Amino acid sequence: MSPSRESRTKPTVHDDFVRMLVLETDEQHPDDHEERGSFGDVFDTLFKNAGDQHDPPLGIETVNRFVVEDKKGGSVPKVEEMED
């Protein structure tokens, strides 16, 4: 599995936070990836900005997981297969 496809967590510094799971099912165009990062990175930035503007501030912890490894459609993991 390439580093860009590993499950990864982007923690927050806030005491109050929401954990968000992003199941990445594809890779975007390389130019977009270079400019904005992965789909998970885009969601992380969007929701962290919204959480920072919330009163009181609300942290967002994003867990990104690439779930489709093959060109045959792949599958979404079962809840039991997901880590905390």
Side-chain angles (χ1 to χ4, degrees):
M1 188 180 294
S2 70
S4 66
R5 293 185 175 199
E6 291 177 357
S7 178
R8 60 195 191 281
T9 302
K10 295 184 174 195
T12 181
V13 297
H14 295 288
D15 290 333
D16 294 322
F17 67 95
V18 172
R19 181 177 287 167
M20 176 175 59
L21 174 63
V22 178
L23 298 177
E24 298 186 70
T25 59
D26 201 356
E27 294 179 338
Q28 68 273 46
H29 189 277
D31 292 344
D32 292 330
H33 189 272
E34 184 176 327
E35 182 180 335
R36 297 183 182 105
S38 69
F39 289 120
D41 296 329
V42 171
F43 281 109
D44 181 68
T45 300
L46 176 71
F47 284 97
K48 280 190 175 167
N49 288 340
D52 288 344
Q53 294 176 26
H54 190 271
D55 185 22
L58 180 64
I60 304 295
E61 182 176 277
T62 308
V63 178
N64 300 333
R65 184 163 179 188
F66 197 88
V67 296
V68 179
E69 294 290 335
D70 60 38
K71 300 292 182 191
K72 298 176 186 173
S75 64
V76 175
K78 295 180 172 78
V79 173
E80 308 79 61
E81 298 171 339
M82 303 302 290
E83 299 174 12
D84 287 335

